[in-house]
Amino acid sequence: MSLVLDPAAQDLLFREARTANTFTDEPVTEEQVQAIYDLVKYGPTAFNQSPLRITLVRSPEARERLVGLMAEGNQAKTAAAPLVAILSADNEFHEELPALFPHFPQAKDVFFGERPVRESAAAMNATLQAAYFIIGVRAAGLAAGPMTGLDFEGVRKEFLDDDHTPLMVVNIGKPGPDAWFPRSPRLAYEDVVTTV
């Protein structure tokens, strides 16, 4: 095979990884989350804009409020996960561009001066970063349960502000009993790749 990543790492990150539906009660530490972020922050985004924001839901009161905003099928697993993260897009990410894109600090105003442009760029690039975050959770030996079955406006009002758009909620922890659904099929290479 032409991949240089160790096969065990390939399995951990992709082939054997699943969306977890149950978790043990082993806590997820602040140090683990920081290690995940310190790895995945290097994933590329356009203009290095880095609009992903992560809200860790740790207190029982906040967890209860979030569970009430989840779709019925996601409530029990969100209530039981050791850690829950709300991933959102910062629509004012451009304020950080002079530091994050120092060779062209004018990009802040030249390309991202208008809010609709920022919202579109933030959504695309924060979603890309959310995928990196999920892979980072796996790299830490944890399982991720990303979900979009939720009241997005309710989550924004309860946990964020008008400058942040929620993208998903991710349950995080060590997988529990019967954590996995069977692997769903994937498209074959020839069904996806076209050469022109």
Side-chain angles (χ1 to χ4, degrees):
M1 191 159 272
S2 59
L3 299 176
V4 297
L5 189 65
D6 177 88
Q10 295 174 36
D11 288 344
L12 177 71
L13 299 178
F14 295 99
R15 284 190 289 263
E16 298 300 325
R18 302 282 194 283
T19 295
N21 293 289
T22 69
F23 297 90
T24 69
D25 59 2
E26 183 178 327
V28 177
T29 68
E30 196 70 28
E31 292 77 19
Q32 286 173 300
V33 178
Q34 180 154 0
I36 291 165
Y37 176 74
D38 286 342
L39 173 65
V40 304
K41 69 183 179 185
Y42 294 108
T45 58
F47 292 91
N48 198 34
Q49 60 191 249
S50 306
L52 180 70
R53 300 297 179 262
I54 303 165
T55 303
L56 300 178
V57 182
R58 289 202 180 270
S59 75
E61 298 80 17
R63 180 73 64 99
E64 186 177 339
R65 294 191 333 260
L66 179 60
V67 167
L69 296 167
M70 301 301 295
E72 186 176 344
N74 292 331
Q75 289 180 352
K77 53 191 170 184
T78 301
L83 179 63
V84 181
I86 300 168
L87 304 187
S88 63
D90 181 357
N91 296 308
E92 296 299 311
F93 70 86
H94 70 308
E95 296 295 344
E96 304 291 340
L97 281 182
L100 294 174
F101 204 64
H103 53 284
F104 186 45
Q106 304 90 328
K108 170 183 182 274
D109 299 312
V110 171
F111 295 109
F112 302 107
E114 296 183 19
R115 176 71 179 233
V117 173
R118 288 198 305 276
E119 288 178 353
S120 176
M124 180 177 68
N125 287 279
T127 301
L128 182 60
Q129 287 186 285
Y132 301 148
F133 181 79
I134 292 166
I135 299 299
V137 168
R138 294 172 176 179
L142 300 169
M147 301 168 293
T148 56
L150 56 109
D151 175 352
F152 283 91
E153 184 59 19
V155 168
R156 187 194 62 73
K157 286 180 179 176
E158 189 69 30
F159 294 97
L160 306 170
D161 59 33
D162 288 341
D163 290 330
H164 293 79
T165 303
L167 302 171
M168 67 186 69
V169 168
V170 183
N171 294 330
I172 304 168
K174 292 281 187 186
D178 301 316
W180 321 117
F181 294 145
R183 168 74 82 191
S184 295
R186 298 296 192 268
L187 294 173
Y189 178 85
E190 57 273 10
D191 296 328
V192 174
V193 178
T194 302
T195 302
V196 294

mmCIF file of all heavy atoms in Angstrom, residues 58-90:
data_model
loop_
_atom_site.group_PDB
_atom_site.id
_atom_site.type_symbol
_atom_site.label_atom_id
_atom_site.label_comp_id
_atom_site.label_asym_id
_atom_site.label_seq_id
_atom_site.Cartn_x
_atom_site.Cartn_y
_atom_site.Cartn_z
ATOM 1 N N ARG A 58 -19.701 20.974 30.675
ATOM 2 C CA ARG A 58 -19.221 20.155 31.793
ATOM 3 C C ARG A 58 -20.157 20.179 33.002
ATOM 4 O O ARG A 58 -20.262 19.189 33.705
ATOM 5 C CB ARG A 58 -17.827 20.604 32.223
ATOM 6 C CG ARG A 58 -16.732 20.266 31.220
ATOM 7 C CD ARG A 58 -15.380 20.237 31.890
ATOM 8 N NE ARG A 58 -14.289 19.925 31.002
ATOM 9 C CZ ARG A 58 -13.847 18.697 30.742
ATOM 10 N NH1 ARG A 58 -14.454 17.652 31.273
ATOM 11 N NH2 ARG A 58 -12.826 18.501 29.935
ATOM 12 N N SER A 59 -20.822 21.287 33.256
ATOM 13 C CA SER A 59 -21.640 21.357 34.477
ATOM 14 C C SER A 59 -22.944 20.585 34.285
ATOM 15 O O SER A 59 -23.491 20.531 33.177
ATOM 16 C CB SER A 59 -21.950 22.809 34.838
ATOM 17 O OG SER A 59 -22.938 23.338 33.979
ATOM 18 N N PRO A 60 -23.467 19.988 35.359
ATOM 19 C CA PRO A 60 -24.752 19.273 35.254
ATOM 20 C C PRO A 60 -25.888 20.181 34.791
ATOM 21 O O PRO A 60 -26.759 19.747 34.026
ATOM 22 C CB PRO A 60 -25.000 18.767 36.678
ATOM 23 C CG PRO A 60 -23.654 18.719 37.324
ATOM 24 C CD PRO A 60 -22.865 19.833 36.690
ATOM 25 N N GLU A 61 -25.875 21.438 35.213
ATOM 26 C CA GLU A 61 -26.946 22.370 34.823
ATOM 27 C C GLU A 61 -26.908 22.644 33.322
ATOM 28 O O GLU A 61 -27.944 22.634 32.651
ATOM 29 C CB GLU A 61 -26.813 23.685 35.600
ATOM 30 C CG GLU A 61 -26.943 23.552 37.101
ATOM 31 C CD GLU A 61 -25.658 23.053 37.798
ATOM 32 O OE1 GLU A 61 -24.570 23.114 37.187
ATOM 33 O OE2 GLU A 61 -25.773 22.568 38.938
ATOM 34 N N ALA A 62 -25.704 22.875 32.800
ATOM 35 C CA ALA A 62 -25.579 23.123 31.362
ATOM 36 C C ALA A 62 -25.939 21.877 30.565
ATOM 37 O O ALA A 62 -26.592 21.953 29.517
ATOM 38 C CB ALA A 62 -24.165 23.584 31.027
ATOM 39 N N ARG A 63 -25.538 20.709 31.076
ATOM 40 C CA ARG A 63 -25.852 19.459 30.386
ATOM 41 C C ARG A 63 -27.364 19.273 30.304
ATOM 42 O O ARG A 63 -27.903 18.887 29.271
ATOM 43 C CB ARG A 63 -25.217 18.281 31.135
ATOM 44 C CG ARG A 63 -25.472 16.922 30.505
ATOM 45 C CD ARG A 63 -24.658 16.712 29.227
ATOM 46 N NE ARG A 63 -23.248 16.703 29.526
ATOM 47 C CZ ARG A 63 -22.510 15.615 29.670
ATOM 48 N NH1 ARG A 63 -23.057 14.434 29.475
ATOM 49 N NH2 ARG A 63 -21.234 15.707 29.952
ATOM 50 N N GLU A 64 -28.059 19.559 31.387
ATOM 51 C CA GLU A 64 -29.520 19.413 31.390
ATOM 52 C C GLU A 64 -30.167 20.341 30.368
ATOM 53 O O GLU A 64 -31.093 19.947 29.644
ATOM 54 C CB GLU A 64 -30.059 19.697 32.798
ATOM 55 C CG GLU A 64 -31.533 19.438 32.938
ATOM 56 C CD GLU A 64 -32.036 19.645 34.366
ATOM 57 O OE1 GLU A 64 -31.231 19.595 35.309
ATOM 58 O OE2 GLU A 64 -33.251 19.872 34.516
ATOM 59 N N ARG A 65 -29.661 21.584 30.288
ATOM 60 C CA ARG A 65 -30.210 22.522 29.306
ATOM 61 C C ARG A 65 -29.957 22.037 27.883
ATOM 62 O O ARG A 65 -30.831 22.142 27.014
ATOM 63 C CB ARG A 65 -29.605 23.916 29.510
ATOM 64 C CG ARG A 65 -29.990 24.549 30.824
ATOM 65 C CD ARG A 65 -29.636 26.025 30.961
ATOM 66 N NE ARG A 65 -28.520 26.522 30.211
ATOM 67 C CZ ARG A 65 -27.285 26.725 30.721
ATOM 68 N NH1 ARG A 65 -27.015 26.414 31.981
ATOM 69 N NH2 ARG A 65 -26.335 27.223 29.976
ATOM 70 N N LEU A 66 -28.764 21.484 27.642
ATOM 71 C CA LEU A 66 -28.439 21.006 26.301
ATOM 72 C C LEU A 66 -29.273 19.779 25.934
ATOM 73 O O LEU A 66 -29.786 19.693 24.816
ATOM 74 C CB LEU A 66 -26.949 20.674 26.194
ATOM 75 C CG LEU A 66 -26.496 20.132 24.838
ATOM 76 C CD1 LEU A 66 -26.782 21.137 23.720
ATOM 77 C CD2 LEU A 66 -25.026 19.766 24.882
ATOM 78 N N VAL A 67 -29.411 18.844 26.858
ATOM 79 C CA VAL A 67 -30.185 17.631 26.570
ATOM 80 C C VAL A 67 -31.594 17.992 26.116
ATOM 81 O O VAL A 67 -32.140 17.388 25.191
ATOM 82 C CB VAL A 67 -30.201 16.690 27.802
ATOM 83 C CG1 VAL A 67 -31.252 15.594 27.642
ATOM 84 C CG2 VAL A 67 -28.819 16.085 28.012
ATOM 85 N N GLY A 68 -32.185 19.008 26.724
ATOM 86 C CA GLY A 68 -33.524 19.437 26.343
ATOM 87 C C GLY A 68 -33.606 20.003 24.934
ATOM 88 O O GLY A 68 -34.696 20.095 24.363
ATOM 89 N N LEU A 69 -32.473 20.357 24.363
ATOM 90 C CA LEU A 69 -32.432 20.917 23.011
ATOM 91 C C LEU A 69 -32.041 19.885 21.950
ATOM 92 O O LEU A 69 -32.008 20.207 20.760
ATOM 93 C CB LEU A 69 -31.454 22.097 22.970
ATOM 94 C CG LEU A 69 -31.856 23.291 23.841
ATOM 95 C CD1 LEU A 69 -30.699 24.270 23.983
ATOM 96 C CD2 LEU A 69 -33.075 23.984 23.257
ATOM 97 N N MET A 70 -31.750 18.664 22.399
ATOM 98 C CA MET A 70 -31.366 17.606 21.469
ATOM 99 C C MET A 70 -32.611 16.889 20.958
ATOM 100 O O MET A 70 -33.627 16.825 21.642
ATOM 101 C CB MET A 70 -30.432 16.599 22.155
ATOM 102 C CG MET A 70 -29.146 17.203 22.709
ATOM 103 S SD MET A 70 -28.114 18.032 21.476
ATOM 104 C CE MET A 70 -27.647 16.658 20.440
ATOM 105 N N ALA A 71 -32.507 16.322 19.756
ATOM 106 C CA ALA A 71 -33.584 15.473 19.242
ATOM 107 C C ALA A 71 -33.780 14.307 20.206
ATOM 108 O O ALA A 71 -32.845 13.881 20.886
ATOM 109 C CB ALA A 71 -33.234 14.975 17.844
ATOM 110 N N GLU A 72 -34.999 13.789 20.246
ATOM 111 C CA GLU A 72 -35.331 12.746 21.224
ATOM 112 C C GLU A 72 -34.349 11.580 21.189
ATOM 113 O O GLU A 72 -33.907 11.089 22.232
ATOM 114 C CB GLU A 72 -36.753 12.251 20.981
ATOM 115 C CG GLU A 72 -37.228 11.273 22.030
ATOM 116 C CD GLU A 72 -38.675 10.854 21.828
ATOM 117 O OE1 GLU A 72 -39.402 11.531 21.072
ATOM 118 O OE2 GLU A 72 -39.062 9.846 22.428
ATOM 119 N N GLY A 73 -33.960 11.134 20.009
ATOM 120 C CA GLY A 73 -33.045 10.002 19.881
ATOM 121 C C GLY A 73 -31.630 10.291 20.336
ATOM 122 O O GLY A 73 -30.826 9.364 20.507
ATOM 123 N N ASN A 74 -31.291 11.560 20.531
ATOM 124 C CA ASN A 74 -29.944 11.936 20.962
ATOM 125 C C ASN A 74 -29.874 12.328 22.436
ATOM 126 O O ASN A 74 -28.790 12.583 22.962
ATOM 127 C CB ASN A 74 -29.422 13.106 20.119
ATOM 128 C CG ASN A 74 -29.180 12.700 18.685
ATOM 129 O OD1 ASN A 74 -28.882 11.547 18.397
ATOM 130 N ND2 ASN A 74 -29.308 13.643 17.766
ATOM 131 N N GLN A 75 -31.009 12.402 23.095
ATOM 132 C CA GLN A 75 -31.016 12.927 24.465
ATOM 133 C C GLN A 75 -30.311 12.016 25.466
ATOM 134 O O GLN A 75 -29.482 12.481 26.248
ATOM 135 C CB GLN A 75 -32.461 13.207 24.904
ATOM 136 C CG GLN A 75 -33.059 14.392 24.188
ATOM 137 C CD GLN A 75 -34.487 14.685 24.599
ATOM 138 O OE1 GLN A 75 -35.117 13.927 25.327
ATOM 139 N NE2 GLN A 75 -35.004 15.821 24.125
ATOM 140 N N ALA A 76 -30.619 10.730 25.460
ATOM 141 C CA ALA A 76 -30.047 9.827 26.467
ATOM 142 C C ALA A 76 -28.534 9.737 26.337
ATOM 143 O O ALA A 76 -27.814 9.790 27.334
ATOM 144 C CB ALA A 76 -30.680 8.440 26.353
ATOM 145 N N LYS A 77 -28.031 9.632 25.107
ATOM 146 C CA LYS A 77 -26.581 9.506 24.945
ATOM 147 C C LYS A 77 -25.872 10.818 25.267
ATOM 148 O O LYS A 77 -24.751 10.809 25.774
ATOM 149 C CB LYS A 77 -26.204 8.962 23.571
ATOM 150 C CG LYS A 77 -26.767 9.675 22.383
ATOM 151 C CD LYS A 77 -26.511 8.854 21.115
ATOM 152 C CE LYS A 77 -27.265 9.405 19.930
ATOM 153 N NZ LYS A 77 -27.106 8.576 18.739
ATOM 154 N N THR A 78 -26.524 11.946 25.019
ATOM 155 C CA THR A 78 -25.925 13.227 25.388
ATOM 156 C C THR A 78 -25.923 13.389 26.908
ATOM 157 O O THR A 78 -24.974 13.923 27.476
ATOM 158 C CB THR A 78 -26.679 14.391 24.715
ATOM 159 O OG1 THR A 78 -26.627 14.198 23.299
ATOM 160 C CG2 THR A 78 -26.076 15.734 25.060
ATOM 161 N N ALA A 79 -26.947 12.903 27.558
ATOM 162 C CA ALA A 79 -27.005 12.971 29.021
ATOM 163 C C ALA A 79 -25.934 12.102 29.657
ATOM 164 O O ALA A 79 -25.392 12.440 30.720
ATOM 165 C CB ALA A 79 -28.383 12.551 29.517
ATOM 166 N N ALA A 80 -25.574 10.976 29.013
ATOM 167 C CA ALA A 80 -24.674 10.000 29.618
ATOM 168 C C ALA A 80 -23.212 10.154 29.209
ATOM 169 O O ALA A 80 -22.342 9.582 29.860
ATOM 170 C CB ALA A 80 -25.154 8.594 29.268
ATOM 171 N N ALA A 81 -22.919 10.881 28.156
ATOM 172 C CA ALA A 81 -21.526 10.988 27.692
ATOM 173 C C ALA A 81 -20.661 11.683 28.734
ATOM 174 O O ALA A 81 -21.100 12.629 29.389
ATOM 175 C CB ALA A 81 -21.478 11.756 26.375
ATOM 176 N N PRO A 82 -19.412 11.252 28.889
ATOM 177 C CA PRO A 82 -18.522 11.900 29.855
ATOM 178 C C PRO A 82 -18.280 13.385 29.555
ATOM 179 O O PRO A 82 -18.138 14.189 30.463
ATOM 180 C CB PRO A 82 -17.220 11.112 29.737
ATOM 181 C CG PRO A 82 -17.618 9.801 29.184
ATOM 182 C CD PRO A 82 -18.799 10.066 28.298
ATOM 183 N N LEU A 83 -18.211 13.729 28.261
ATOM 184 C CA LEU A 83 -18.012 15.121 27.875
ATOM 185 C C LEU A 83 -18.812 15.389 26.613
ATOM 186 O O LEU A 83 -18.906 14.531 25.726
ATOM 187 C CB LEU A 83 -16.524 15.416 27.605
ATOM 188 C CG LEU A 83 -16.194 16.844 27.179
ATOM 189 C CD1 LEU A 83 -16.547 17.858 28.276
ATOM 190 C CD2 LEU A 83 -14.727 16.976 26.801
ATOM 191 N N VAL A 84 -19.376 16.580 26.547
ATOM 192 C CA VAL A 84 -20.098 17.006 25.353
ATOM 193 C C VAL A 84 -19.519 18.342 24.904
ATOM 194 O O VAL A 84 -19.287 19.233 25.724
ATOM 195 C CB VAL A 84 -21.616 17.141 25.618
ATOM 196 C CG1 VAL A 84 -22.337 17.571 24.358
ATOM 197 C CG2 VAL A 84 -22.192 15.835 26.141
ATOM 198 N N ALA A 85 -19.279 18.456 23.593
ATOM 199 C CA ALA A 85 -18.765 19.697 23.020
ATOM 200 C C ALA A 85 -19.756 20.235 21.999
ATOM 201 O O ALA A 85 -20.277 19.480 21.175
ATOM 202 C CB ALA A 85 -17.411 19.463 22.355
ATOM 203 N N ILE A 86 -20.021 21.524 22.081
ATOM 204 C CA ILE A 86 -20.786 22.215 21.046
ATOM 205 C C ILE A 86 -19.763 22.849 20.112
ATOM 206 O O ILE A 86 -18.933 23.666 20.546
ATOM 207 C CB ILE A 86 -21.702 23.302 21.645
ATOM 208 C CG1 ILE A 86 -22.698 22.696 22.629
ATOM 209 C CG2 ILE A 86 -22.423 24.070 20.526
ATOM 210 C CD1 ILE A 86 -23.434 23.733 23.472
ATOM 211 N N LEU A 87 -19.786 22.472 18.847
ATOM 212 C CA LEU A 87 -18.876 23.046 17.860
ATOM 213 C C LEU A 87 -19.637 24.111 17.083
ATOM 214 O O LEU A 87 -20.726 23.858 16.581
ATOM 215 C CB LEU A 87 -18.342 21.972 16.922
ATOM 216 C CG LEU A 87 -17.641 20.779 17.577
ATOM 217 C CD1 LEU A 87 -17.004 19.889 16.510
ATOM 218 C CD2 LEU A 87 -16.619 21.214 18.603
ATOM 219 N N SER A 88 -19.034 25.295 17.002
ATOM 220 C CA SER A 88 -19.706 26.403 16.325
ATOM 221 C C SER A 88 -18.730 27.156 15.439
ATOM 222 O O SER A 88 -17.502 27.022 15.566
ATOM 223 C CB SER A 88 -20.335 27.358 17.345
ATOM 224 O OG SER A 88 -19.344 27.958 18.153
ATOM 225 N N ALA A 89 -19.290 27.959 14.545
ATOM 226 C CA ALA A 89 -18.515 28.811 13.646
ATOM 227 C C ALA A 89 -18.578 30.239 14.160
ATOM 228 O O ALA A 89 -19.668 30.776 14.397
ATOM 229 C CB ALA A 89 -19.082 28.737 12.232
ATOM 230 N N ASP A 90 -17.417 30.853 14.343
ATOM 231 C CA ASP A 90 -17.328 32.248 14.765
ATOM 232 C C ASP A 90 -17.423 33.130 13.522
ATOM 233 O O ASP A 90 -16.499 33.175 12.705
ATOM 234 C CB ASP A 90 -16.009 32.483 15.497
ATOM 235 C CG ASP A 90 -15.850 33.910 15.994
ATOM 236 O OD1 ASP A 90 -16.737 34.760 15.735
ATOM 237 O OD2 ASP A 90 -14.827 34.192 16.650
#
